[in-house]
Amino acid sequence: MALPVLFGANVDPVWQEPKAPLRQALAAERLGLDLVTVQDHPYQAAFYDTWTLVTYLVARTERITLVPTVSSLPLRPPAVLAKSAASLDVLSGGRIQLGLGAGAFWEAIEAMGGPRRSRKEAVDALTEAVSVVRAMWSGERSVRTTGEHYAVSGVHPGPHPGPGLGLWLGAYGPRTLALTGARADGWLPSHAYLGLDRLPDAVRRLDDAAAEAGRDPASLRKIYNVAGHIGGADRGAFHGPLSRWRDDIATTVAEHGMNGIVFWPTDDYGRQMSVFAEELVPLVREDLATRDPAPQIEE
C-alpha cells in the first residue's frame, strides 16, 4: 500500500537570531505541515548543534515530526546516535525520524576531529552504522555487531523505541541506494544533487534493491528536498509560478514515486512558506487526487 504524501519545511540551524528556528518550526506546525527537517553540519560556525536544536524543537512543538537531514555519521557514533533517537522518540511520543548520511566536506570533518574517509570507506562505514542502529533498536537484551569502522560488543540497548521510528538515509550512489532499499526505512535526496532528470533511475535502483531484499518498495518513505522560489517567471524546476511548482511536485510524486516534499525557500522565508503550505500544497493535493491510481494524501 502506498504511503501518505507528506509535506514539510526545512529549518536552518542558525543561531545569530537565536529564536528564528523555533519561530519557523512553530509556523510550519501552525500551517499544517507534517515535517520539519534540520541540516547537520557541526563544523559550521553559524549553526547550532543539530541534535540539540531538534530536541529543543520537539519539546516546544506538539504535533510536527522532526528529522535531521542528515546526521553526519563521521561526527556522530552510531550507537550513541541510535540511543539519542530512541530516547527522543519515546519522550516525544514518536515525533522523530533518524536521518543519516555517510558524510561530506571531509576537510571540515577532519578539522573537528573526525576521520577523513574515501568514498568506499564512507559507504562501508555507513553500512556498518546501519547494523549498529538496527541492533540498538532491536529490543534485545544484549547485542553485538562487527565492523572495521563501527561495532558493538555486548551492549545493552535501551530505551526501546516505538514502531514508527525509522532510519532514513541520504543516498545518491549505487551502493548507498542499494543499502537504503534493502535495509533503511526512508530516503532523503535533494534536488540540488539529484535533479528530476536523474531521479527516475535512482528510484528504480532503490525499488529494485527493496524488492530483491523481499521488501515492498511502496513501504519506503521517499522525501525529496527542493530549494527554490515560488512566484515570478518560470526559470526551470522549482523556480516559477504556482502552476510550475504544482506540475513539478505532482510529477515527482505521481510519476517518479516520491511520497514527500520538503521545501527550502531561497529567500523571504516566512512569506514563501505560507504560500507553499496555504496555496501550493492544496493545489498539489487536488491534482494528485485526480490521478489514477491515486496516492494517499495526508490531511
Side-chain angles (χ1 to χ4, degrees), residues 264-283:
W264 299 50
T266 53
D267 56 22
D268 196 10
Y269 186 97
R271 172 60 181 159
Q272 283 285 295
M273 197 55 67
S274 294
V275 172
F276 176 76
E278 296 179 325
E279 300 181 40
L280 179 59
V281 169
L283 289 174

Side-chain angles (χ1 to χ4, degrees), residues 183-253:
R183 301 181 61 193
D185 304 296
W187 180 41
L188 285 162
S190 295
H191 173 254
Y193 302 107
L194 186 71
L196 291 175
D197 57 332
R198 296 170 49 220
L199 183 61
D201 179 66
V203 172
R204 280 193 296 271
R205 289 176 181 269
L206 187 79
D207 288 352
D208 288 348
E212 188 174 341
R215 310 175 74 197
D216 179 4
S219 70
L220 296 178
R221 176 58 66 192
K222 301 168 184 173
I223 301 288
Y224 203 34
N225 294 298
V226 296
H229 179 88
I230 304 171
D234 188 335
R235 296 188 287 120
F238 306 111
H239 284 277
L242 280 172
S243 58
R244 174 67 198 236
W245 277 82
R246 176 180 182 173
D247 290 345
D248 285 341
I249 294 177
T251 297
T252 298
V253 173

Side-chain angles (χ1 to χ4, degrees), residues 36-40 50-51 54 65-74 76 78 81-82 85 96-103 126 129-130 133 137 165-171 184-189 223 225:
V36 163
T37 64
V38 183
Q39 59 181 301
D40 184 35
T50 291
W51 273 92
V54 163
T65 294
L66 277 292
V67 189
T69 182
V70 286
S71 301
S72 180
L73 175 61
R76 309 242 181 224
L81 189 61
I96 186 74
Q97 297 293 330
L98 175 53
L100 184 62
L126 181 62
V130 170
V133 171
W137 291 351
L165 177 60
L167 177 60
W168 298 0
L169 300 185
D185 304 296
W187 180 41
L188 285 162
I223 301 288
N225 294 298

Side-chain angles (χ1 to χ4, degrees), residues 112-190:
M112 203 171 189
R116 179 188 288 267
R117 291 173 176 154
S118 67
R119 181 174 298 180
K120 179 183 183 303
E121 289 170 338
V123 178
D124 289 344
L126 181 62
T127 302
E128 294 169 5
V130 170
S131 296
V132 170
V133 171
R134 291 300 190 202
M136 292 293 295
W137 291 351
S138 67
E140 299 293 330
R141 179 182 176 278
S142 177
V143 296
R144 296 176 181 271
T145 70
T146 59
E148 180 180 349
H149 304 278
Y150 300 112
V152 291
S153 304
V155 66
H156 302 296
H160 184 54
L165 177 60
L167 177 60
W168 298 0
L169 300 185
Y172 296 93
R175 287 185 64 200
T176 52
L177 287 169
L179 174 65
T180 304
R183 301 181 61 193
D185 304 296
W187 180 41
L188 285 162
S190 295

